[in-house]
Amino acid sequence: MKRLPIPEDVTGDEIDKDVRQELLSLPKTLADDVAKNLVMVAKLLDEDPEQAYGYSRVALRLASRVAAVREAAGFAAYAVGKYSEALAEFRAARRMTGSVELWPVMADCERGLGRPEKAMAMAGEPEVQKLDKAGQVEMRLVAAGARRDMGQADAAVVTLQSPELASSAVHPWTARLRYAYADALLAVGREDEARDWFARALEADQGGTTDASDRLAELDGVEFTDALEEADEADEADAAEDDGAQGEAGSAKD
């Protein structure tokens, strides 16, 4: 596989210390090369997932026996919708580490592969009880999505009802959980409740991870216009009028 260019300001030192520890099993030059590719995956995963996927494949070719590399390759494949490939990488990483933290995303890969029943089965496995609170919330989100995939919209609403949803405390996952609940309520026609929960999601969404504000505006019948687009249209209209006026002036002279 062709190596992708890495900016000069990217160093392997930017990698997470736990990942750096894993890379100690490699020769130093190779470890630095792998680290730089993993840094590029992390930098590009949200803004350019295709590029991130490319860097992950390079890292995978260089160090396929490192769990962190398999995990990064899994997330990069997941980001571009290559769910079968992502699932294989996540399974490999799990075998290497024995950790259950990838269980929710593995279940979501099953959804992506059109197997929501498998995702639901995973939601009931003992591994879920070993997840931390964030992981359990993530698993609940995946299970609710699987319910909707199977046409069980009311069951999806019930699946999301939990102490974490009822809590007034705000955690990194709070906005997404409230948003998912609002969306599930809307799917079963409970619009007033959905609006309330979209508002609650917006309150908790300090990082702008959801489009709760847009969903609220949509429910309220508010339409946003692009000021720049309107200005361009006005300029075009003025130019057309000027051309028309010049044309009329030319006709008058003739």
mmCIF file of all heavy atoms in Angstrom, residues 168-222:
data_model
loop_
_atom_site.group_PDB
_atom_site.id
_atom_site.type_symbol
_atom_site.label_atom_id
_atom_site.label_comp_id
_atom_site.label_asym_id
_atom_site.label_seq_id
_atom_site.Cartn_x
_atom_site.Cartn_y
_atom_site.Cartn_z
ATOM 1 N N SER A 168 -30.728 14.805 36.048
ATOM 2 C CA SER A 168 -30.506 16.200 35.638
ATOM 3 C C SER A 168 -29.021 16.503 35.457
ATOM 4 O O SER A 168 -28.654 17.563 34.952
ATOM 5 C CB SER A 168 -31.103 17.159 36.679
ATOM 6 O OG SER A 168 -30.492 16.946 37.949
ATOM 7 N N ALA A 169 -28.173 15.566 35.885
ATOM 8 C CA ALA A 169 -26.730 15.753 35.728
ATOM 9 C C ALA A 169 -26.351 15.672 34.250
ATOM 10 O O ALA A 169 -26.984 14.956 33.474
ATOM 11 C CB ALA A 169 -25.973 14.689 36.518
ATOM 12 N N VAL A 170 -25.333 16.431 33.881
ATOM 13 C CA VAL A 170 -24.896 16.462 32.485
ATOM 14 C C VAL A 170 -23.545 15.754 32.354
ATOM 15 O O VAL A 170 -22.580 16.099 33.036
ATOM 16 C CB VAL A 170 -24.777 17.905 31.965
ATOM 17 C CG1 VAL A 170 -24.198 17.920 30.553
ATOM 18 C CG2 VAL A 170 -26.143 18.578 31.975
ATOM 19 N N HIS A 171 -23.517 14.754 31.508
ATOM 20 C CA HIS A 171 -22.310 13.981 31.229
ATOM 21 C C HIS A 171 -22.003 14.096 29.731
ATOM 22 O O HIS A 171 -22.826 14.611 28.964
ATOM 23 C CB HIS A 171 -22.527 12.516 31.612
ATOM 24 C CG HIS A 171 -22.856 12.318 33.056
ATOM 25 N ND1 HIS A 171 -21.897 12.299 34.036
ATOM 26 C CD2 HIS A 171 -24.072 12.155 33.680
ATOM 27 C CE1 HIS A 171 -22.471 12.115 35.215
ATOM 28 N NE2 HIS A 171 -23.789 12.028 35.037
ATOM 29 N N PRO A 172 -20.854 13.624 29.290
ATOM 30 C CA PRO A 172 -20.524 13.714 27.857
ATOM 31 C C PRO A 172 -21.547 13.055 26.944
ATOM 32 O O PRO A 172 -21.695 13.451 25.784
ATOM 33 C CB PRO A 172 -19.168 13.007 27.769
ATOM 34 C CG PRO A 172 -18.557 13.225 29.115
ATOM 35 C CD PRO A 172 -19.698 13.131 30.079
ATOM 36 N N TRP A 173 -22.272 12.062 27.452
ATOM 37 C CA TRP A 173 -23.235 11.337 26.633
ATOM 38 C C TRP A 173 -24.677 11.847 26.812
ATOM 39 O O TRP A 173 -25.582 11.388 26.131
ATOM 40 C CB TRP A 173 -23.210 9.838 26.970
ATOM 41 C CG TRP A 173 -23.008 9.536 28.426
ATOM 42 C CD1 TRP A 173 -21.829 9.183 29.014
ATOM 43 C CD2 TRP A 173 -23.986 9.563 29.489
ATOM 44 N NE1 TRP A 173 -22.015 8.982 30.381
ATOM 45 C CE2 TRP A 173 -23.321 9.206 30.688
ATOM 46 C CE3 TRP A 173 -25.344 9.859 29.522
ATOM 47 C CZ2 TRP A 173 -23.968 9.138 31.919
ATOM 48 C CZ3 TRP A 173 -25.998 9.800 30.742
ATOM 49 C CH2 TRP A 173 -25.322 9.440 31.921
ATOM 50 N N THR A 174 -24.895 12.798 27.719
ATOM 51 C CA THR A 174 -26.261 13.234 28.047
ATOM 52 C C THR A 174 -27.005 13.790 26.841
ATOM 53 O O THR A 174 -28.171 13.445 26.598
ATOM 54 C CB THR A 174 -26.227 14.282 29.172
ATOM 55 O OG1 THR A 174 -25.628 13.713 30.341
ATOM 56 C CG2 THR A 174 -27.637 14.745 29.515
ATOM 57 N N ALA A 175 -26.362 14.673 26.079
ATOM 58 C CA ALA A 175 -27.035 15.311 24.938
ATOM 59 C C ALA A 175 -27.482 14.272 23.912
ATOM 60 O O ALA A 175 -28.609 14.329 23.403
ATOM 61 C CB ALA A 175 -26.115 16.339 24.289
ATOM 62 N N ARG A 176 -26.620 13.311 23.628
ATOM 63 C CA ARG A 176 -26.965 12.290 22.635
ATOM 64 C C ARG A 176 -28.104 11.395 23.112
ATOM 65 O O ARG A 176 -28.970 11.001 22.328
ATOM 66 C CB ARG A 176 -25.734 11.448 22.296
ATOM 67 C CG ARG A 176 -24.680 12.229 21.532
ATOM 68 C CD ARG A 176 -23.441 11.385 21.235
ATOM 69 N NE ARG A 176 -23.773 10.194 20.483
ATOM 70 C CZ ARG A 176 -23.530 8.956 20.902
ATOM 71 N NH1 ARG A 176 -22.964 8.742 22.078
ATOM 72 N NH2 ARG A 176 -23.848 7.929 20.151
ATOM 73 N N LEU A 177 -28.108 11.080 24.397
ATOM 74 C CA LEU A 177 -29.174 10.240 24.944
ATOM 75 C C LEU A 177 -30.512 10.969 24.888
ATOM 76 O O LEU A 177 -31.529 10.400 24.465
ATOM 77 C CB LEU A 177 -28.842 9.858 26.395
ATOM 78 C CG LEU A 177 -29.872 8.984 27.118
ATOM 79 C CD1 LEU A 177 -30.095 7.673 26.379
ATOM 80 C CD2 LEU A 177 -29.427 8.728 28.558
ATOM 81 N N ARG A 178 -30.527 12.223 25.300
ATOM 82 C CA ARG A 178 -31.763 13.007 25.251
ATOM 83 C C ARG A 178 -32.228 13.209 23.805
ATOM 84 O O ARG A 178 -33.431 13.152 23.529
ATOM 85 C CB ARG A 178 -31.547 14.362 25.936
ATOM 86 C CG ARG A 178 -31.309 14.265 27.438
ATOM 87 C CD ARG A 178 -31.043 15.643 28.035
ATOM 88 N NE ARG A 178 -30.818 15.570 29.476
ATOM 89 C CZ ARG A 178 -30.538 16.615 30.247
ATOM 90 N NH1 ARG A 178 -30.431 17.830 29.695
ATOM 91 N NH2 ARG A 178 -30.356 16.481 31.542
ATOM 92 N N TYR A 179 -31.292 13.446 22.929
ATOM 93 C CA TYR A 179 -31.631 13.639 21.514
ATOM 94 C C TYR A 179 -32.259 12.367 20.939
ATOM 95 O O TYR A 179 -33.270 12.429 20.234
ATOM 96 C CB TYR A 179 -30.370 14.006 20.732
ATOM 97 C CG TYR A 179 -30.610 14.268 19.258
ATOM 98 C CD1 TYR A 179 -30.819 15.563 18.785
ATOM 99 C CD2 TYR A 179 -30.622 13.225 18.338
ATOM 100 C CE1 TYR A 179 -31.033 15.808 17.443
ATOM 101 C CE2 TYR A 179 -30.844 13.463 16.988
ATOM 102 C CZ TYR A 179 -31.050 14.747 16.551
ATOM 103 O OH TYR A 179 -31.277 14.974 15.214
ATOM 104 N N ALA A 180 -31.651 11.222 21.230
ATOM 105 C CA ALA A 180 -32.176 9.955 20.722
ATOM 106 C C ALA A 180 -33.583 9.711 21.252
ATOM 107 O O ALA A 180 -34.466 9.215 20.529
ATOM 108 C CB ALA A 180 -31.251 8.805 21.127
ATOM 109 N N TYR A 181 -33.805 10.059 22.511
ATOM 110 C CA TYR A 181 -35.134 9.876 23.098
ATOM 111 C C TYR A 181 -36.151 10.796 22.419
ATOM 112 O O TYR A 181 -37.263 10.378 22.093
ATOM 113 C CB TYR A 181 -35.077 10.158 24.605
ATOM 114 C CG TYR A 181 -36.350 9.810 25.341
ATOM 115 C CD1 TYR A 181 -36.868 8.517 25.300
ATOM 116 C CD2 TYR A 181 -37.036 10.770 26.096
ATOM 117 C CE1 TYR A 181 -38.031 8.188 25.977
ATOM 118 C CE2 TYR A 181 -38.192 10.457 26.783
ATOM 119 C CZ TYR A 181 -38.690 9.162 26.718
ATOM 120 O OH TYR A 181 -39.858 8.838 27.385
ATOM 121 N N ALA A 182 -35.764 12.042 22.181
ATOM 122 C CA ALA A 182 -36.644 12.980 21.493
ATOM 123 C C ALA A 182 -37.002 12.472 20.100
ATOM 124 O O ALA A 182 -38.161 12.516 19.673
ATOM 125 C CB ALA A 182 -35.965 14.351 21.399
ATOM 126 N N ASP A 183 -36.004 11.973 19.400
ATOM 127 C CA ASP A 183 -36.224 11.460 18.045
ATOM 128 C C ASP A 183 -37.141 10.241 18.065
ATOM 129 O O ASP A 183 -38.000 10.079 17.198
ATOM 130 C CB ASP A 183 -34.878 11.108 17.418
ATOM 131 C CG ASP A 183 -34.964 10.969 15.910
ATOM 132 O OD1 ASP A 183 -35.616 11.806 15.266
ATOM 133 O OD2 ASP A 183 -34.357 10.022 15.371
ATOM 134 N N ALA A 184 -36.969 9.386 19.084
ATOM 135 C CA ALA A 184 -37.824 8.201 19.209
ATOM 136 C C ALA A 184 -39.257 8.600 19.515
ATOM 137 O O ALA A 184 -40.212 8.015 18.984
ATOM 138 C CB ALA A 184 -37.277 7.286 20.304
ATOM 139 N N LEU A 185 -39.423 9.609 20.368
ATOM 140 C CA LEU A 185 -40.773 10.105 20.679
ATOM 141 C C LEU A 185 -41.445 10.671 19.430
ATOM 142 O O LEU A 185 -42.635 10.445 19.185
ATOM 143 C CB LEU A 185 -40.692 11.189 21.760
ATOM 144 C CG LEU A 185 -40.359 10.726 23.177
ATOM 145 C CD1 LEU A 185 -40.048 11.932 24.065
ATOM 146 C CD2 LEU A 185 -41.520 9.925 23.767
ATOM 147 N N LEU A 186 -40.683 11.398 18.648
ATOM 148 C CA LEU A 186 -41.231 11.988 17.425
ATOM 149 C C LEU A 186 -41.674 10.904 16.452
ATOM 150 O O LEU A 186 -42.687 11.040 15.763
ATOM 151 C CB LEU A 186 -40.176 12.884 16.779
ATOM 152 C CG LEU A 186 -40.655 13.838 15.677
ATOM 153 C CD1 LEU A 186 -41.706 14.798 16.206
ATOM 154 C CD2 LEU A 186 -39.467 14.623 15.122
ATOM 155 N N ALA A 187 -40.939 9.795 16.414
ATOM 156 C CA ALA A 187 -41.261 8.695 15.502
ATOM 157 C C ALA A 187 -42.585 8.021 15.838
ATOM 158 O O ALA A 187 -43.207 7.412 14.966
ATOM 159 C CB ALA A 187 -40.134 7.659 15.519
ATOM 160 N N VAL A 188 -43.021 8.136 17.102
ATOM 161 C CA VAL A 188 -44.304 7.533 17.492
ATOM 162 C C VAL A 188 -45.390 8.590 17.638
ATOM 163 O O VAL A 188 -46.449 8.339 18.218
ATOM 164 C CB VAL A 188 -44.171 6.713 18.796
ATOM 165 C CG1 VAL A 188 -43.237 5.536 18.589
ATOM 166 C CG2 VAL A 188 -43.703 7.589 19.961
ATOM 167 N N GLY A 189 -45.140 9.796 17.145
ATOM 168 C CA GLY A 189 -46.163 10.831 17.107
ATOM 169 C C GLY A 189 -46.334 11.642 18.374
ATOM 170 O O GLY A 189 -47.302 12.400 18.489
ATOM 171 N N ARG A 190 -45.416 11.534 19.318
ATOM 172 C CA ARG A 190 -45.522 12.290 20.574
ATOM 173 C C ARG A 190 -44.719 13.591 20.439
ATOM 174 O O ARG A 190 -43.679 13.778 21.048
ATOM 175 C CB ARG A 190 -45.040 11.424 21.733
ATOM 176 C CG ARG A 190 -45.957 10.249 21.976
ATOM 177 C CD ARG A 190 -45.339 9.110 22.761
ATOM 178 N NE ARG A 190 -44.947 9.472 24.118
ATOM 179 C CZ ARG A 190 -44.432 8.615 24.997
ATOM 180 N NH1 ARG A 190 -44.273 7.330 24.650
ATOM 181 N NH2 ARG A 190 -44.095 9.007 26.213
ATOM 182 N N GLU A 191 -45.251 14.491 19.605
ATOM 183 C CA GLU A 191 -44.508 15.667 19.184
ATOM 184 C C GLU A 191 -44.200 16.638 20.309
ATOM 185 O O GLU A 191 -43.095 17.177 20.397
ATOM 186 C CB GLU A 191 -45.282 16.387 18.070
ATOM 187 C CG GLU A 191 -44.509 17.531 17.443
ATOM 188 C CD GLU A 191 -45.202 18.085 16.209
ATOM 189 O OE1 GLU A 191 -45.563 17.297 15.312
ATOM 190 O OE2 GLU A 191 -45.376 19.313 16.157
ATOM 191 N N ASP A 192 -45.179 16.891 21.198
ATOM 192 C CA ASP A 192 -44.954 17.844 22.290
ATOM 193 C C ASP A 192 -43.843 17.360 23.219
ATOM 194 O O ASP A 192 -42.981 18.142 23.626
ATOM 195 C CB ASP A 192 -46.250 18.056 23.084
ATOM 196 C CG ASP A 192 -47.298 18.832 22.287
ATOM 197 O OD1 ASP A 192 -46.912 19.503 21.308
ATOM 198 O OD2 ASP A 192 -48.488 18.761 22.646
ATOM 199 N N GLU A 193 -43.871 16.079 23.540
ATOM 200 C CA GLU A 193 -42.822 15.512 24.390
ATOM 201 C C GLU A 193 -41.475 15.540 23.673
ATOM 202 O O GLU A 193 -40.430 15.811 24.286
ATOM 203 C CB GLU A 193 -43.163 14.078 24.775
ATOM 204 C CG GLU A 193 -44.358 13.939 25.697
ATOM 205 C CD GLU A 193 -44.702 12.482 25.930
ATOM 206 O OE1 GLU A 193 -44.065 11.851 26.783
ATOM 207 O OE2 GLU A 193 -45.616 11.974 25.228
ATOM 208 N N ALA A 194 -41.514 15.279 22.375
ATOM 209 C CA ALA A 194 -40.282 15.293 21.590
ATOM 210 C C ALA A 194 -39.661 16.679 21.622
ATOM 211 O O ALA A 194 -38.437 16.817 21.797
ATOM 212 C CB ALA A 194 -40.566 14.874 20.155
ATOM 213 N N ARG A 195 -40.492 17.706 21.474
ATOM 214 C CA ARG A 195 -39.970 19.074 21.492
ATOM 215 C C ARG A 195 -39.292 19.368 22.825
ATOM 216 O O ARG A 195 -38.215 19.972 22.880
ATOM 217 C CB ARG A 195 -41.091 20.076 21.247
ATOM 218 C CG ARG A 195 -40.553 21.467 20.987
ATOM 219 C CD ARG A 195 -41.546 22.569 21.209
ATOM 220 N NE ARG A 195 -40.882 23.845 20.960
ATOM 221 C CZ ARG A 195 -40.008 24.407 21.798
ATOM 222 N NH1 ARG A 195 -39.688 23.817 22.931
ATOM 223 N NH2 ARG A 195 -39.436 25.570 21.490
ATOM 224 N N ASP A 196 -39.919 18.926 23.915
ATOM 225 C CA ASP A 196 -39.342 19.147 25.243
ATOM 226 C C ASP A 196 -37.984 18.479 25.366
ATOM 227 O O ASP A 196 -37.029 19.071 25.898
ATOM 228 C CB ASP A 196 -40.309 18.587 26.300
ATOM 229 C CG ASP A 196 -39.764 18.762 27.712
ATOM 230 O OD1 ASP A 196 -39.304 19.862 28.043
ATOM 231 O OD2 ASP A 196 -39.800 17.785 28.487
ATOM 232 N N TRP A 197 -37.853 17.264 24.839
ATOM 233 C CA TRP A 197 -36.591 16.543 24.982
ATOM 234 C C TRP A 197 -35.519 17.053 24.020
ATOM 235 O O TRP A 197 -34.329 17.006 24.331
ATOM 236 C CB TRP A 197 -36.809 15.040 24.829
ATOM 237 C CG TRP A 197 -37.341 14.456 26.100
ATOM 238 C CD1 TRP A 197 -38.646 14.165 26.396
ATOM 239 C CD2 TRP A 197 -36.579 14.139 27.265
ATOM 240 N NE1 TRP A 197 -38.747 13.675 27.676
ATOM 241 C CE2 TRP A 197 -37.493 13.650 28.230
ATOM 242 C CE3 TRP A 197 -35.238 14.213 27.593
ATOM 243 C CZ2 TRP A 197 -37.082 13.244 29.500
ATOM 244 C CZ3 TRP A 197 -34.821 13.807 28.855
ATOM 245 C CH2 TRP A 197 -35.739 13.332 29.793
ATOM 246 N N PHE A 198 -35.928 17.563 22.869
ATOM 247 C CA PHE A 198 -34.938 18.210 21.999
ATOM 248 C C PHE A 198 -34.372 19.448 22.701
ATOM 249 O O PHE A 198 -33.174 19.741 22.600
ATOM 250 C CB PHE A 198 -35.566 18.620 20.665
ATOM 251 C CG PHE A 198 -35.621 17.514 19.646
ATOM 252 C CD1 PHE A 198 -36.815 17.202 18.998
ATOM 253 C CD2 PHE A 198 -34.485 16.780 19.315
ATOM 254 C CE1 PHE A 198 -36.871 16.184 18.050
ATOM 255 C CE2 PHE A 198 -34.527 15.767 18.370
ATOM 256 C CZ PHE A 198 -35.728 15.467 17.739
ATOM 257 N N ALA A 199 -35.255 20.179 23.421
ATOM 258 C CA ALA A 199 -34.797 21.354 24.174
ATOM 259 C C ALA A 199 -33.836 20.941 25.280
ATOM 260 O O ALA A 199 -32.817 21.605 25.517
ATOM 261 C CB ALA A 199 -35.998 22.089 24.764
ATOM 262 N N ARG A 200 -34.131 19.836 25.948
ATOM 263 C CA ARG A 200 -33.236 19.347 27.005
ATOM 264 C C ARG A 200 -31.897 18.888 26.410
ATOM 265 O O ARG A 200 -30.846 19.074 27.036
ATOM 266 C CB ARG A 200 -33.896 18.193 27.761
ATOM 267 C CG ARG A 200 -35.146 18.587 28.525
ATOM 268 C CD ARG A 200 -35.591 17.452 29.431
ATOM 269 N NE ARG A 200 -36.931 17.671 29.943
ATOM 270 C CZ ARG A 200 -37.490 16.915 30.882
ATOM 271 N NH1 ARG A 200 -36.825 15.891 31.402
ATOM 272 N NH2 ARG A 200 -38.719 17.162 31.298
ATOM 273 N N ALA A 201 -31.965 18.292 25.246
ATOM 274 C CA ALA A 201 -30.724 17.874 24.579
ATOM 275 C C ALA A 201 -29.874 19.091 24.248
ATOM 276 O O ALA A 201 -28.646 19.082 24.438
ATOM 277 C CB ALA A 201 -31.048 17.094 23.310
ATOM 278 N N LEU A 202 -30.519 20.139 23.766
ATOM 279 C CA LEU A 202 -29.797 21.364 23.415
ATOM 280 C C LEU A 202 -29.135 21.979 24.638
ATOM 281 O O LEU A 202 -28.002 22.470 24.564
ATOM 282 C CB LEU A 202 -30.762 22.362 22.770
ATOM 283 C CG LEU A 202 -30.154 23.675 22.274
ATOM 284 C CD1 LEU A 202 -29.073 23.414 21.234
ATOM 285 C CD2 LEU A 202 -31.239 24.571 21.699
ATOM 286 N N GLU A 203 -29.813 21.938 25.774
ATOM 287 C CA GLU A 203 -29.247 22.483 27.009
ATOM 288 C C GLU A 203 -27.951 21.766 27.388
ATOM 289 O O GLU A 203 -27.016 22.381 27.904
ATOM 290 C CB GLU A 203 -30.258 22.333 28.156
ATOM 291 C CG GLU A 203 -31.458 23.269 28.068
ATOM 292 C CD GLU A 203 -32.468 22.982 29.171
ATOM 293 O OE1 GLU A 203 -32.194 22.083 30.007
ATOM 294 O OE2 GLU A 203 -33.519 23.635 29.190
ATOM 295 N N ALA A 204 -27.925 20.462 27.141
ATOM 296 C CA ALA A 204 -26.753 19.662 27.529
ATOM 297 C C ALA A 204 -25.674 19.606 26.457
ATOM 298 O O ALA A 204 -24.551 19.162 26.724
ATOM 299 C CB ALA A 204 -27.200 18.237 27.863
ATOM 300 N N ASP A 205 -26.006 20.076 25.255
ATOM 301 C CA ASP A 205 -25.103 19.912 24.111
ATOM 302 C C ASP A 205 -24.120 21.070 24.002
ATOM 303 O O ASP A 205 -24.178 21.882 23.081
ATOM 304 C CB ASP A 205 -25.932 19.788 22.828
ATOM 305 C CG ASP A 205 -25.098 19.285 21.664
ATOM 306 O OD1 ASP A 205 -23.920 18.952 21.873
ATOM 307 O OD2 ASP A 205 -25.630 19.214 20.540
ATOM 308 N N GLN A 206 -23.190 21.130 24.937
ATOM 309 C CA GLN A 206 -22.232 22.230 24.960
ATOM 310 C C GLN A 206 -21.213 22.138 23.829
ATOM 311 O O GLN A 206 -20.650 23.140 23.408
ATOM 312 C CB GLN A 206 -21.517 22.248 26.313
ATOM 313 C CG GLN A 206 -22.473 22.448 27.481
ATOM 314 C CD GLN A 206 -21.794 22.318 28.836
ATOM 315 O OE1 GLN A 206 -20.604 22.001 28.922
ATOM 316 N NE2 GLN A 206 -22.538 22.554 29.903
ATOM 317 N N GLY A 207 -20.987 20.936 23.326
ATOM 318 C CA GLY A 207 -20.000 20.767 22.263
ATOM 319 C C GLY A 207 -20.595 20.760 20.865
ATOM 320 O O GLY A 207 -19.872 20.587 19.880
ATOM 321 N N GLY A 208 -21.896 20.943 20.744
ATOM 322 C CA GLY A 208 -22.539 20.952 19.431
ATOM 323 C C GLY A 208 -22.480 19.615 18.722
ATOM 324 O O GLY A 208 -22.298 19.557 17.504
ATOM 325 N N THR A 209 -22.674 18.540 19.481
ATOM 326 C CA THR A 209 -22.588 17.201 18.887
ATOM 327 C C THR A 209 -23.875 16.761 18.204
ATOM 328 O O THR A 209 -23.876 15.783 17.469
ATOM 329 C CB THR A 209 -22.224 16.158 19.964
ATOM 330 O OG1 THR A 209 -23.209 16.207 21.013
ATOM 331 C CG2 THR A 209 -20.857 16.443 20.563
ATOM 332 N N THR A 210 -24.964 17.478 18.444
ATOM 333 C CA THR A 210 -26.240 17.132 17.804
ATOM 334 C C THR A 210 -26.774 18.345 17.042
ATOM 335 O O THR A 210 -26.261 19.453 17.179
ATOM 336 C CB THR A 210 -27.297 16.708 18.849
ATOM 337 O OG1 THR A 210 -27.754 17.883 19.556
ATOM 338 C CG2 THR A 210 -26.727 15.716 19.853
ATOM 339 N N ASP A 211 -27.839 18.108 16.264
ATOM 340 C CA ASP A 211 -28.501 19.221 15.580
ATOM 341 C C ASP A 211 -29.836 19.525 16.260
ATOM 342 O O ASP A 211 -30.832 19.841 15.612
ATOM 343 C CB ASP A 211 -28.695 18.921 14.092
ATOM 344 C CG ASP A 211 -29.624 17.736 13.855
ATOM 345 O OD1 ASP A 211 -29.924 16.997 14.822
ATOM 346 O OD2 ASP A 211 -30.067 17.539 12.705
ATOM 347 N N ALA A 212 -29.829 19.437 17.603
ATOM 348 C CA ALA A 212 -31.057 19.643 18.375
ATOM 349 C C ALA A 212 -31.691 21.008 18.087
ATOM 350 O O ALA A 212 -32.918 21.126 18.033
ATOM 351 C CB ALA A 212 -30.764 19.493 19.864
ATOM 352 N N SER A 213 -30.872 22.037 17.907
ATOM 353 C CA SER A 213 -31.422 23.375 17.631
ATOM 354 C C SER A 213 -32.183 23.385 16.317
ATOM 355 O O SER A 213 -33.259 24.003 16.212
ATOM 356 C CB SER A 213 -30.305 24.418 17.609
ATOM 357 O OG SER A 213 -29.351 24.115 16.605
ATOM 358 N N ASP A 214 -31.661 22.704 15.312
ATOM 359 C CA ASP A 214 -32.351 22.637 14.013
ATOM 360 C C ASP A 214 -33.663 21.860 14.127
ATOM 361 O O ASP A 214 -34.666 22.224 13.515
ATOM 362 C CB ASP A 214 -31.451 21.963 12.973
ATOM 363 C CG ASP A 214 -30.232 22.802 12.626
ATOM 364 O OD1 ASP A 214 -30.270 24.021 12.871
ATOM 365 O OD2 ASP A 214 -29.249 22.241 12.110
ATOM 366 N N ARG A 215 -33.631 20.777 14.914
ATOM 367 C CA ARG A 215 -34.844 19.981 15.079
ATOM 368 C C ARG A 215 -35.923 20.780 15.816
ATOM 369 O O ARG A 215 -37.111 20.680 15.499
ATOM 370 C CB ARG A 215 -34.528 18.690 15.834
ATOM 371 C CG ARG A 215 -33.505 17.779 15.149
ATOM 372 C CD ARG A 215 -33.988 17.281 13.796
ATOM 373 N NE ARG A 215 -35.163 16.441 13.897
ATOM 374 C CZ ARG A 215 -35.134 15.124 14.161
ATOM 375 N NH1 ARG A 215 -33.963 14.509 14.349
ATOM 376 N NH2 ARG A 215 -36.254 14.421 14.216
ATOM 377 N N LEU A 216 -35.512 21.558 16.795
ATOM 378 C CA LEU A 216 -36.458 22.419 17.512
ATOM 379 C C LEU A 216 -37.070 23.449 16.573
ATOM 380 O O LEU A 216 -38.287 23.676 16.586
ATOM 381 C CB LEU A 216 -35.741 23.141 18.663
ATOM 382 C CG LEU A 216 -35.653 22.410 20.000
ATOM 383 C CD1 LEU A 216 -34.765 23.192 20.954
ATOM 384 C CD2 LEU A 216 -37.042 22.241 20.604
ATOM 385 N N ALA A 217 -36.218 24.075 15.793
ATOM 386 C CA ALA A 217 -36.704 25.078 14.852
ATOM 387 C C ALA A 217 -37.685 24.465 13.854
ATOM 388 O O ALA A 217 -38.711 25.069 13.506
ATOM 389 C CB ALA A 217 -35.524 25.707 14.110
ATOM 390 N N GLU A 218 -37.389 23.248 13.411
ATOM 391 C CA GLU A 218 -38.258 22.552 12.470
ATOM 392 C C GLU A 218 -39.633 22.293 13.086
ATOM 393 O O GLU A 218 -40.665 22.486 12.441
ATOM 394 C CB GLU A 218 -37.609 21.234 12.069
ATOM 395 C CG GLU A 218 -38.367 20.445 11.014
ATOM 396 C CD GLU A 218 -37.669 19.148 10.664
ATOM 397 O OE1 GLU A 218 -36.446 19.049 10.875
ATOM 398 O OE2 GLU A 218 -38.354 18.233 10.183
ATOM 399 N N LEU A 219 -39.635 21.871 14.347
ATOM 400 C CA LEU A 219 -40.900 21.603 15.037
ATOM 401 C C LEU A 219 -41.690 22.897 15.263
ATOM 402 O O LEU A 219 -42.916 22.887 15.269
ATOM 403 C CB LEU A 219 -40.640 20.916 16.376
ATOM 404 C CG LEU A 219 -40.201 19.452 16.302
ATOM 405 C CD1 LEU A 219 -39.805 18.940 17.681
ATOM 406 C CD2 LEU A 219 -41.320 18.590 15.723
ATOM 407 N N ASP A 220 -40.967 24.002 15.455
ATOM 408 C CA ASP A 220 -41.619 25.294 15.685
ATOM 409 C C ASP A 220 -41.981 26.007 14.385
ATOM 410 O O ASP A 220 -42.535 27.112 14.408
ATOM 411 C CB ASP A 220 -40.717 26.208 16.525
ATOM 412 C CG ASP A 220 -40.577 25.706 17.951
ATOM 413 O OD1 ASP A 220 -41.445 24.918 18.384
ATOM 414 O OD2 ASP A 220 -39.609 26.079 18.632
ATOM 415 N N GLY A 221 -41.628 25.399 13.255
ATOM 416 C CA GLY A 221 -41.959 26.001 11.972
ATOM 417 C C GLY A 221 -41.092 27.176 11.605
ATOM 418 O O GLY A 221 -41.480 28.030 10.789
ATOM 419 N N VAL A 222 -39.900 27.240 12.185
ATOM 420 C CA VAL A 222 -38.982 28.345 11.897
ATOM 421 C C VAL A 222 -38.100 27.964 10.723
ATOM 422 O O VAL A 222 -37.541 26.863 10.684
ATOM 423 C CB VAL A 222 -38.098 28.663 13.125
ATOM 424 C CG1 VAL A 222 -37.084 29.757 12.778
ATOM 425 C CG2 VAL A 222 -38.961 29.081 14.292
#
